[in-house]
Amino acid sequence: MLPKTYHLKNYDFFLILFSLAISILGVVIIGSARESYQFRQIVGLVIGVVFMIVISLIDYRTILNFYWVCYALSIVLLLSVLFFGRTLGGATRWITVAGIRFQPSEVAKFLLILFFAKFIMKTKDKLNRPSRILTALGLFLLPWYLVYREPDLSTSLVFILIFLTMLFIGGLSWKVIIGTLSVAVPVTVLGLMLVLQPNQEIIKDYQQARILAWLQPENYSNDEGYQQQNSIVAIGSGQLLGKGYKNNEVGSVKNGNFISEPQTDFIFAIVGEELGFIGCMAIIILILIIIVEVIRTGWSSSELSGTLVCAGVAAHLGFQTFFNIAVTTGVMPNTGIPLPFVSYGMTSLISIFMELGVVLNVGLLRVRDRI
Amino acid sequence: MFEQLRDKFISIVTSRLFFLLLLIFTLFSVLTLRLFKLQIVEGASYLDNFTLKIEREKTIKSTRGSIFDRNGISLARDTLAYSVTIEDNYDSGSGKNKAINETILRLADIIESNGDKLNNDFSIYLDESGDFRFALEGTRHLRFIADIYGRTSIDSLKVREKNSTPDEIIDYLCSEKKFGIGEYTEKKDGSFDFVPKKGYTDEELIKVITVRYNLSLNSYQKYISTTVATNVNVRTVAEVMENKDVLRGVNISEDTVREYINDPSFSHILGYTGKISEEELALYNSHKNPDSSMDAQNYELNDYVGKAGIEQVMERKLQGRKGRQTIFVDNLGRVTETGDKTDPVAGNDLYLTIDSDLQKAVYQILEQKIAGIVISKIVDQKPADEAERSSSDIVIPMYDVYYALFDNNFLSIDHLYGENAGPDEKQVYGDFLIKQNAVIDMIRNELDNGVLPYNDHVLEEQSYIAYVISLLKSSKRNVLPGESIDEENEVYLKWKEGTCSLREYLKEAVARGWIDSTRISSEKKYMDSDEIYQVLVDYICSELSKDRDFSKRIIKYMIRQDEITGNEICHILYEQGKLKDIGDNLKELDSGEVTPYRFMLNRLKSLEITPADLALDPCSGSSVVTDVRTGEVIACVSYPSFDNRRLANTVDADYFASLQNDKSLPLYDYSTQQKTAPGSTFKPISSAAALEEGVINPGEEIKCEGLFEKIVPSPKCWIYPGGTHGSLEIVGAIQNSCNFFFYEVGYRLSSRGGYFNNDYGLERLTKYVDLFGLTEKSGIEITESEPDVSNQDAVRSAIGQGNHSYTTVGLARYVNAVANEGRCYNLSLLDKLTDSNGNVITDYTPGVRNEINIAGSTWHLIHEGMKKAVENYGAFSDFPLTAGGKTGTAQQIATRPNHSLFIGFAPYNEPEVAIATRIAYGYTSSNAAEVTRDIFKYYFKTEDKDDIIKGEAVLPDSAAISD
């Protein structure tokens, strides 16, 4: 049934084990944050694992052959948000199909990783030509813009970082990288200064407010910074061991309803408060192990496309985790992004498991030993 | 092998994947460091700060101490009352505003249908004409606006916000993003279409906004519920409880309210309590508290404090100490857990020196006598022109009584055309409109074409024309500001003399730019003088037709000209509900058995209409009764008074406004604040000065010659030119109140080395004024006016004229010192302070200000004179005890009656009580003497209570006696 090249010893049970471990930890924490969401997260986890296993058994190269379909599909999904999307809290990020609500940008992440893996591989030798770079950029900008204008600034940032990582791994020359950086960094700094001017029209007011709230939390204690301040207090007051899972202490920030959306973007505040520094480190280390596994798999891949898929997935998990925790601990402005594996959100969870499915298949088809 | 490994290592380290891993690893290290700092390094302080953030102290009100009279009769106390409260436990979402607003309306309906009132502390109100108006001014107003727009300070208000009109604020608050007060139509998808204010009357809007605004102030401290109505009756409580399932968030809470004895005589002494103002809050909390050995009393914005009288003076003693309850709250301030609790400590109870029974009696004695004086002076005739009156033969024409009913707002002009107007009211109002149109046409004609100088108009027209100028000058309108007028101007001077017309004067005022045209026209464009004058004419005519004071002037002349008849006025009294028809009063009037004149006298006689209602002379009086041996004040009465129960807790704003507009000044304490010349009641002090300074020897006689010609202009004795007193010793001089004798005393006191020295005389006289305590306030704890000791004309000052001016309570201290032969007390209303269990904390005794060390013979002569004086007075002819006393008459202005004063003590041999009484504009001193006599009778129980307090007007019983 399965191709003969599949060897059981190449199947990365380790990766499955750790991703299951952190997802189950996530389910447990959601039980404390908002118990009512726990069951749906379990359902998402089961579906995700099933998808992962099914995908892990399909030759990824076969899938990559349909890379234009992937691209088209991601554009269709993102466009459907534009036309049929449901607005919640000022942003349109969800669509409902057959009664199931899901977030196309999460699926698009998965599809675009696949697309660019193949696309970059095919143009590898000419990648450093300006025409190629511009083509890649153009192909990226369309879906990116659709995400950006949902608006979903944080996801669009993750998109950029995944895309850049894949270009980098695909062999973009250092000359181009350094040249770009020397332009991009000053532009970013200047841009930041510009968008913080009153009455600017570059970013939306609420986005500006969030950046300002991060820079001057004391002036925004009742608005944007309020969420983040409370999250910092929750995490800080958890100290080494935390206040205890599902505790009923008066001094609990969560119990006082000071954390809004504790099951999604600010779930890490619950981890910090209830499980303490130990719990936080557990989450960070588990995700790091998963990322290392993914990168190891990419290393061992015989084909560049496999390496690129793994790099994209690693970038996705790494940067998104960083953004989320950086927001909840006040290192970065409030951008609103879920913590991989842990935050509630079926689309996000299933998409990640689908990505891991592809990574598992890359591992199955590897030629050289992993480091 | 090693090389292989090394190559592999190098290939890994140099690979781009490794670079990615390194980057992610670095980022995660940053997070780890951050978490270490937050949780391990700063964790404990985050925990502490958070605990502080969610910990709240809820205060538990203490019970305010009670106030009792000297016999333990309760005068003021806190009683349990029910309040209706609401809290916002509504689910947020699009239907929230609609649900809350509907609940509030429904609740308001329940409260009002049961006869209770909603608390109305919102700073915008609906005025009589149905316009929204701001209640506050200045900084407090801006503070309110800032709160409305959610600005943290006044400075951060935008100009547009600062200048908001009341209507703009109402619109803003009704908008969907604020309180969403209006009509919602639900759309298919569950969202709402919203039309602000639709479906609400203005009254309903203000009710809903008041509650919503108060709720919003507590939106982040939901452990505080918002009070909708205070002190509601049991029917409201029952109906709210029955409907609790539909009145979401509504609750009944138990609260205390201040309850006062139901008698107006105590209102000035007790004062009343009310919600603390921001000024009081700042004062009490910043105050260097002399009792700071106790815990600092932290007042809060919802506290009730004494606003006047003893309640205010003794605020800190009565207040008690609040209890505290620690609670923990969530993000919206809902209680999640309760912590430590400290119970409140009830305030101290205060006992006054007042004898409440006597206090009530004195008030009634004053009222019935003042009513009697008024009745005795009413004549059935039209008023003579004011200029022709003089102090001695003043009478009260019945027409003035009719007019006084309107003038003092006892009868309402607005009621005449209101919904509930009766047939006579409608008739009178119709006549009034015709007259008003005629008068305004006359004014318009005068303004357009008038050439006749003011003086050549008839009196009635003069009255109207003069009013035009006072209208323009009134501070409310300020169209013709006094400071803009050039007082040297020729036309102005002519106007002052009355030798030019109104038209001429106003034309000049326009031409000279004295008229502030921005106040009469909203037009921005430039206008020349003629245009401004035309606008002014229109303005005047339109304002006059709305101005109620002008309406009163018209009514005054309508009454005089019988265009409004006495009969109509009698009926209007019933139509406006001012009188209840008991017996056949109206029938007798209608059948002609009783004339309107007689009818009105009967109403005054029965006290259905009181002297205070009319505010004619006299309409006020005061009496202070002291215990001669202790200096305690046992009665301190000011007539007229007010109902402090309607000002306490939450102020009845309409009632308060009516008190402020009442010309009898019920809020004014006549016993402690009104000052007049003491008149002849001063003569015992002059006697003491004369004898002690040795200017008169005890047996020395002075011959009264009527006219005291040693000074020019020469003052006369009261008996002159009808006669003279002949030769009198000092006793006889006091007895007969001989002015000549005391002029001589004043003259001799001023003699130094054979020369007349006015200052020397005043100095010597003042020394004795001071000994009797009249140079300072009496010591009584409530607000009192500073006395004025005469500093001019030593001769006239010696008979109590000059510019002496004393309060009744000051005279009471003085007569008390006379009665006990020399002990001048600091008067006091306070008896003792006890804790809530009755243990005495402080026993107050009036301090002795000074001992008056003068010869026993001097005291004897003064007492002898005062005893003989009393024997002379008809008022005391049937009084069974011996007493000492002295009358006094003081003329303030020739066109009004004299003030009537009396000081006295009894029994003569061993005085127990001393009394000072004053009836301002009370015609003759015998009236004050009669009041004092009745108080003595009541105090010594020499006569049956019912014979003293008749419940109806008591006419003066003696003919005017001389003093």
Side-chain angles (χ1 to χ4, degrees):
Chain A
M1 192 58 192
L2 295 170
K4 285 188 193 112
T5 42
Y6 287 3
H7 299 289
L8 196 61
K9 75 172 173 62
N10 284 347
Y11 204 63
D12 195 348
F13 289 104
F14 208 54
L15 181 61
I16 297 176
L17 190 69
F18 279 104
S19 56
L20 274 178
I22 192 165
S23 302
I24 290 166
L25 188 56
V27 169
V28 169
I29 294 161
I30 288 168
S32 175
R34 283 287 147 85
E35 200 159 6
S36 55
Y37 288 93
Q38 201 175 19
F39 179 72
R40 280 199 270 175
Q41 183 78 348
I42 294 172
V43 171
L45 177 57
V46 171
I47 296 172
V49 171
V50 170
F51 275 34
M52 173 174 74
I53 291 169
V54 170
I55 291 172
S56 73
L57 299 178
I58 303 169
D59 189 328
Y60 75 94
R61 290 165 301 190
T62 315
I63 300 173
L64 290 190
N65 284 334
F66 297 100
Y67 73 115
W68 281 111
V69 177
C70 289
Y71 186 78
L73 190 58
S74 70
I75 299 297
V76 168
L77 282 172
L78 291 173
L79 278 174
S80 66
V81 175
L82 200 62
F83 292 113
F84 312 111
R86 202 179 156 80
T87 306
L88 284 173
T92 313
R93 296 174 188 169
W94 292 267
I95 55 169
T96 310
V97 177
I100 300 164
R101 200 174 79 184
F102 78 113
Q103 210 176 340
S105 59
E106 294 294 336
V107 183
K109 245 182 253 173
F110 167 65
L111 293 172
L112 289 172
I113 288 173
L114 297 182
F115 169 75
F116 280 110
K118 179 78 173 185
F119 180 83
I120 291 170
M121 189 190 78
K122 286 193 75 163
T123 59
K124 178 169 172 23
D125 300 333
K126 306 158 199 158
L127 187 59
N128 287 313
R129 290 191 193 162
S131 64
R132 282 293 157 177
I133 296 177
L134 287 177
T135 312
L137 205 60
L139 285 167
F140 170 72
L141 279 177
L142 176 60
W144 175 83
Y145 179 73
L146 290 172
V147 172
Y148 173 77
R149 65 156 297 166
E150 280 183 359
D152 194 343
L153 184 66
S154 44
T155 304
S156 70
L157 278 174
V158 172
F159 266 63
I160 293 174
L161 288 167
I162 294 172
F163 177 64
L164 291 178
T165 303
M166 290 175 77
L167 281 181
F168 172 68
I169 301 295
L172 196 64
S173 82
W174 283 105
K175 225 165 66 184
V176 178
I177 295 169
I178 290 166
T180 312
L181 281 182
S182 61
V183 175
V185 170
V187 165
T188 310
V189 171
L190 200 70
L192 204 61
M193 285 166 72
L194 281 177
V195 299
L196 293 182
Q197 297 300 313
N199 304 324
Q200 53 80 30
E201 286 172 355
I202 304 163
I203 56 173
K204 297 232 155 59
D205 282 351
Y206 87 96
Q207 293 169 340
Q208 188 195 27
R210 284 180 172 186
I211 297 173
L212 285 168
W214 168 61
L215 293 172
Q216 310 153 340
E218 63 281 2
N219 292 348
Y220 287 80
S221 58
N222 277 323
D223 315 322
E224 289 295 332
Y226 183 73
Q227 273 186 324
Q228 242 182 320
Q229 275 309 112
N230 287 331
S231 165
I232 292 168
V233 171
I235 292 170
S237 64
Q239 303 189 71
L240 181 63
L241 298 173
K243 297 171 189 170
Y245 177 66
K246 280 196 182 177
N247 68 71
N248 54 8
E249 276 186 42
V250 173
S252 158
V253 182
K254 182 201 83 184
N255 291 352
N257 293 322
F258 288 94
I259 299 169
S260 44
E261 300 177 61
Q263 78 282 12
T264 58
D265 296 352
F266 281 93
I267 195 145
F268 196 71
I270 310 298
V271 176
E273 171 156 50
E274 303 204 334
L275 307 177
F277 185 66
I278 303 284
C280 292
M281 288 321 293
I283 297 278
I284 289 177
I285 289 168
L286 278 171
I287 294 180
L288 192 63
I289 291 174
I290 290 167
I291 290 169
V292 169
E293 279 303 306
V294 171
I295 289 178
R296 282 177 68 195
T297 305
W299 172 265
S300 66
S301 170
S302 55
E303 288 202 27
L304 181 61
S305 63
T307 308
L308 284 170
V309 168
C310 291
V313 172
H316 174 200
L317 296 180
F319 292 121
Q320 192 164 327
T321 301
F322 176 76
F323 283 166
N324 177 276
I325 298 178
V327 164
T328 54
T329 54
V331 179
M332 261 179 57
N334 189 354
T335 55
I337 194 162
L339 182 60
F341 297 108
V342 183
S343 286
Y344 167 77
M346 287 169 83
T347 324
S348 161
L349 193 63
I350 293 168
S351 300
I352 289 171
F353 273 106
M354 283 162 70
E355 289 173 16
L356 290 185
V358 180
V359 171
L360 282 172
N361 188 260
V362 174
L364 262 183
L365 291 172
R366 71 178 178 233
V367 288
R368 55 177 170 175
D369 283 343
R370 304 197 308 175
I371 40 166
Chain B
M1 179 66 193
F2 175 74
E3 285 206 350
Q4 235 183 341
L5 270 177
R6 199 194 62 181
D7 287 350
K8 194 167 181 179
F9 178 76
I10 289 171
S11 74
I12 291 168
V13 169
T14 54
S15 86
R16 292 194 171 194
L17 270 179
F18 183 76
F19 193 84
L20 175 64
L21 184 62
L22 204 64
L23 178 63
I24 291 173
F25 191 79
T26 311
L27 291 176
F28 278 32
S29 304
V30 168
L31 296 180
T32 304
L33 283 175
R34 174 68 176 169
L35 286 166
F36 185 81
K37 178 165 177 267
L38 285 183
Q39 298 189 290
I40 308 299
V41 181
E42 296 168 354
S45 77
Y46 275 113
L47 185 60
D48 293 345
N49 288 340
F50 181 68
T51 313
L52 281 181
K53 182 174 164 183
I54 58 168
E55 192 181 293
R56 297 276 189 286
E57 274 214 325
K58 193 173 170 179
T59 52
I60 310 167
K61 267 171 82 177
S62 59
T63 310
R64 192 178 177 85
S66 301
I67 303 175
F68 300 98
D69 85 339
R70 65 189 297 126
N71 301 315
I73 293 169
S74 171
L75 305 178
R77 61 189 179 132
D78 269 11
T79 56
L80 200 62
Y82 295 105
S83 296
V84 181
T85 63
I86 187 168
E87 56 187 77
D88 175 7
N89 56 7
Y90 289 73
D91 303 322
S92 51
S94 50
K96 176 175 175 170
N97 279 334
K98 180 175 150 76
I100 298 192
N101 297 341
E102 282 172 1
T103 304
I104 293 170
L105 261 194
R106 190 175 183 141
L107 182 62
D109 216 38
I110 290 175
I111 292 168
E112 288 178 345
S113 69
N114 286 304
D116 284 316
K117 278 186 171 175
L118 292 157
N119 287 3
N120 180 17
D121 46 6
F122 190 60
S123 299
I124 293 177
Y125 67 96
L126 209 55
D127 73 2
E128 286 165 7
S129 51
D131 295 326
F132 291 115
R133 290 198 183 280
F134 289 123
L136 302 176
E137 285 175 348
T139 318
R140 291 172 64 196
H141 168 69
L142 290 177
R143 186 61 257 172
F144 165 70
I145 302 275
D147 286 343
I148 291 282
Y149 288 109
R151 305 278 174 225
T152 45
S153 72
I154 295 172
D155 300 331
S156 51
L157 271 174
K158 294 176 182 159
V159 178
R160 180 182 52 78
E161 293 169 346
K162 232 178 225 183
N163 298 329
S164 299
T165 64
D167 287 283
E168 280 167 2
I169 289 188
I170 297 284
D171 288 349
Y172 172 71
L173 292 177
C174 288
S175 67
E176 198 174 9
K177 66 176 175 176
K178 291 296 285 182
F179 301 153
I181 305 171
E183 209 145 88
Y184 290 85
T185 41
E186 193 168 350
K187 290 194 293 198
K188 273 179 195 152
D189 63 351
S191 63
F192 290 94
D193 261 342
F194 180 67
V195 187
K197 302 208 285 189
K198 193 176 172 199
Y200 287 78
T201 65
D202 284 353
E203 286 86 6
E204 287 170 340
L205 279 180
I206 210 90
K207 283 175 207 163
V208 175
I209 287 175
T210 303
V211 177
R212 287 300 302 275
Y213 180 69
N214 287 334
L215 261 180
S216 73
L217 294 179
N218 289 338
S219 60
Y220 281 97
Q221 31 186 1
K222 291 207 193 305
Y223 61 97
I224 300 176
S225 57
T226 301
T227 305
V228 179
T230 322
N231 198 12
V232 296
N233 62 43
V234 287
R235 294 189 309 276
T236 303
V237 172
E239 198 172 341
V240 168
M241 294 309 276
E242 278 165 24
N243 291 292
K244 242 189 126 179
D245 50 333
V246 288
L247 297 171
R248 186 153 181 205
V250 175
N251 250 314
I252 298 289
S253 71
E254 286 187 350
D255 206 350
T256 56
V257 291
R258 201 67 169 162
E259 195 179 78
Y260 293 97
I261 185 170
N262 180 11
D263 192 285
S265 66
F266 297 93
S267 298
H268 290 109
I269 294 179
L270 295 176
Y272 48 92
T273 58
K275 212 170 199 177
I276 195 166
S277 68
E278 289 191 30
E279 290 82 1
E280 287 164 331
L281 186 67
L283 180 77
Y284 282 127
N285 282 341
S286 72
H287 203 249
K288 286 278 170 286
N289 182 3
D291 312 323
S292 57
S293 55
M294 282 170 50
D295 288 358
Q297 173 66 264
N298 284 322
Y299 284 84
E300 289 161 9
L301 205 50
N302 280 324
D303 287 349
Y304 282 80
V305 294
K307 291 278 182 184
I310 285 292
E311 289 276 29
Q312 188 180 34
V313 174
M314 300 298 282
E315 165 60 31
R316 283 170 182 281
K317 309 273 187 205
L318 292 166
Q319 179 64 241
R321 208 177 319 154
K322 286 191 195 108
R324 312 238 166 229
Q325 164 94 64
T326 307
I327 52 171
F328 296 94
V329 299
D330 68 6
N331 61 327
L332 294 176
R334 290 178 292 227
V335 178
T336 54
E337 186 123 340
T338 54
D340 303 339
K341 185 181 176 187
T342 325
D343 286 322
V345 181
N348 298 320
D349 289 341
L350 181 67
Y351 288 76
L352 299 182
T353 56
I354 296 293
D355 179 333
S356 60
D357 191 43
L358 184 70
Q359 177 86 3
K360 289 182 199 171
V362 171
Y363 187 85
Q364 288 166 298
I365 290 168
L366 274 168
E367 181 173 59
Q368 67 188 22
K369 182 60 70 182
I370 295 167
I373 301 167
V374 171
I375 291 173
S376 72
K377 294 294 173 185
I378 293 178
V379 291
D380 191 10
Q381 66 183 47
K382 293 191 184 185
D385 282 335
E386 274 150 32
E388 293 165 26
R389 294 188 185 180
S390 81
S391 220
S392 51
D393 54 2
I394 291 172
V395 290
I396 307 172
M398 185 49 92
Y399 287 81
D400 282 0
V401 176
Y402 294 145
Y403 172 59
L405 293 169
F406 284 102
D407 192 34
N408 198 33
N409 305 313
F410 189 70
L411 289 179
S412 151
I413 297 176
D414 293 319
H415 195 280
L416 295 178
Y417 58 89
E419 275 173 38
N420 304 319
D424 287 83
E425 292 189 271
K426 287 177 180 156
Q427 173 68 41
V428 165
Y429 191 67
D431 295 344
F432 166 76
L433 284 181
I434 294 167
K435 173 86 173 179
Q436 189 187 40
N437 284 337
V439 169
I440 290 176
D441 283 348
M442 183 278 286
I443 294 285
R444 185 179 281 279
N445 186 45
E446 185 63 24
L447 288 166
D448 287 343
N449 317 306
V451 285
L452 202 60
Y454 177 82
N455 285 347
D456 297 349
H457 283 277
V458 296
L459 276 179
E460 183 183 350
E461 287 177 359
Q462 282 182 358
S463 163
Y464 299 142
I465 291 167
Y467 191 81
V468 171
I469 298 301
S470 41
L471 177 98
L472 296 179
K473 281 189 166 177
S474 69
S475 58
K476 192 175 104 193
R477 298 187 177 80
N478 213 21
V479 175
L480 179 55
E483 63 273 12
S484 70
I485 298 171
D486 170 16
E487 294 185 355
E488 309 283 297
N489 180 284
E490 200 181 324
V491 181
Y492 175 75
L493 291 172
K494 272 170 80 180
W495 171 256
K496 287 241 99 175
E497 290 166 14
T499 52
C500 76
S501 70
L502 178 66
R503 176 165 182 269
E504 198 179 336
Y505 176 46
L506 285 181
K507 280 256 175 193
E508 180 77 6
V510 169
R512 299 277 169 198
W514 302 342
I515 297 285
D516 182 353
S517 60
T518 60
R519 293 191 171 263
I520 54 174
S521 163
S522 52
E523 294 248 354
K524 297 276 187 297
K525 74 176 174 76
Y526 172 79
M527 294 187 288
D528 64 27
S529 291
D530 286 342
E531 285 170 328
I532 293 177
Y533 187 77
Q534 209 43 56
V535 171
L536 181 66
V537 169
D538 292 340
Y539 174 82
I540 289 169
C541 293
S542 124
E543 287 296 301
L544 285 181
S545 64
K546 289 183 284 188
D547 190 278
R548 280 292 164 248
D549 286 330
F550 191 67
S551 306
K552 284 180 183 173
R553 289 201 178 205
I554 295 173
I555 284 178
K556 179 173 170 179
Y557 284 97
M558 288 178 76
I559 290 170
R560 286 191 182 186
Q561 290 150 10
D562 291 318
E563 290 171 44
I564 299 173
T565 64
N567 194 298
E568 282 169 331
I569 287 171
C570 294
H571 278 96
I572 290 173
L573 283 167
Y574 289 97
E575 287 171 5
Q576 295 202 357
K578 293 296 179 179
L579 297 180
K580 301 275 171 292
D581 197 17
I582 26 177
D584 294 325
N585 296 341
L586 265 181
K587 211 182 278 174
E588 286 171 5
L589 179 74
D590 290 338
S591 69
E593 274 174 71
V594 173
T595 62
Y597 167 73
R598 182 55 56 192
F599 179 88
M600 284 300 294
L601 288 188
N602 289 343
R603 302 287 78 76
L604 287 164
K605 175 86 179 162
S606 64
L607 295 175
E608 286 168 86
I609 299 172
T610 66
D613 294 335
L614 298 177
L616 294 165
D617 291 333
C619 67
S620 70
S622 57
S623 230
V624 179
V625 184
T626 56
D627 184 321
V628 170
R629 292 154 301 192
T630 64
E632 290 175 341
V633 177
I634 50 183
C636 179
V637 176
S638 170
Y639 175 87
S641 186
F642 56 96
D643 187 351
N644 59 345
R645 298 170 306 159
R646 294 178 73 179
L647 302 184
N649 305 309
T650 46
V651 176
D652 179 339
D654 291 341
Y655 180 64
F656 189 67
S658 77
L659 290 175
Q660 285 186 310
N661 291 327
D662 191 328
K663 299 196 170 177
S664 70
L665 309 181
L667 290 171
Y668 185 71
D669 188 342
Y670 286 95
S671 64
T672 58
Q673 287 176 281
Q674 187 187 36
K675 295 188 293 185
T676 68
S680 300
T681 60
F682 188 79
K683 285 171 181 164
I685 292 181
S686 301
S687 306
L691 294 165
E692 289 297 306
E693 294 295 312
V695 299
I696 301 273
N697 292 322
E700 186 179 343
E701 287 190 346
I702 290 172
K703 186 160 177 285
C704 173
E705 295 164 0
L707 200 62
F708 187 75
E709 289 176 303
K710 287 185 184 172
I711 60 166
V712 181
S714 305
K716 328 174 281 190
C717 188
W718 61 267
I719 204 166
Y720 185 82
T724 67
H725 283 112
S727 292
L728 289 172
E729 289 177 37
I730 193 149
V731 171
I734 296 173
Q735 178 189 359
N736 294 300
S737 202
C738 177
N739 288 352
F740 190 96
F741 185 96
F742 288 100
Y743 290 140
E744 179 66 23
V745 166
Y747 189 80
R748 290 188 191 176
L749 282 170
S750 310
S751 297
R752 194 179 216 173
Y755 293 100
F756 179 79
N757 183 328
N758 193 47
D759 290 344
Y760 183 57
L762 285 170
E763 188 188 305
R764 291 214 273 179
L765 203 54
T766 302
K767 182 175 143 196
Y768 291 87
V769 173
D770 181 50
L771 282 178
F772 286 91
L774 279 172
T775 50
E776 292 170 4
K777 292 188 194 176
S778 72
I780 199 163
E781 285 80 6
I782 53 180
T783 314
E784 183 185 344
S785 304
E786 284 282 353
D788 293 325
V789 182
S790 182
N791 57 4
Q792 65 185 41
D793 198 344
V795 171
R796 286 182 181 81
S797 293
I799 69 152
Q801 297 295 332
N803 54 359
H804 287 296
S805 199
Y806 303 114
T807 60
T808 311
V809 71
L811 295 176
R813 153 146 105 175
Y814 146 56
V815 68
N816 193 75
V818 170
N820 67 27
E821 301 199 345
R823 183 161 288 181
C824 183
Y825 284 103
N826 285 320
L827 299 185
S828 174
L829 287 168
L830 308 182
D831 182 13
K832 62 181 179 190
L833 191 71
T834 71
D835 66 18
S836 53
N837 298 320
N839 303 313
V840 176
I841 297 169
T842 318
D843 196 349
Y844 301 99
T845 41
V848 176
R849 176 179 175 268
N850 62 293
E851 299 280 356
I852 306 168
N853 293 313
I854 57 176
S857 60
T858 303
W859 284 122
H860 177 74
L861 292 169
I862 293 172
H863 280 204
E864 187 74 11
M866 290 174 80
K867 184 177 86 171
K868 291 215 160 135
V870 166
E871 285 166 359
N872 252 13
Y873 303 146
F876 283 85
S877 59
D878 65 339
F879 183 61
L881 301 176
T882 47
K886 184 73 200 79
T887 53
T889 308
Q891 189 192 74
Q892 184 151 328
I893 179 168
T895 54
R896 296 178 74 175
N898 293 327
H899 299 312
S900 163
L901 296 104
F902 185 84
I903 58 172
F905 55 89
Y908 178 76
N909 288 323
E910 261 180 68
E912 282 179 39
V913 286
I915 300 176
T917 299
R918 166 185 13 233
I919 302 172
Y921 309 108
Y923 285 89
T924 162
S925 58
S926 64
N927 290 325
E930 285 168 26
V931 166
T932 310
R933 173 208 62 202
D934 287 345
I935 299 170
F936 279 137
K937 279 183 179 174
Y938 189 91
Y939 182 86
F940 293 110
K941 300 188 172 60
T942 62
E943 223 171 272
D944 200 57
K945 272 186 186 180
D946 295 338
D947 290 333
I948 305 166
I949 297 165
K950 300 211 161 72
E952 59 171 38
V954 174
L955 296 175
D957 56 5
S958 53
I961 53 149
S962 53
D963 67 0

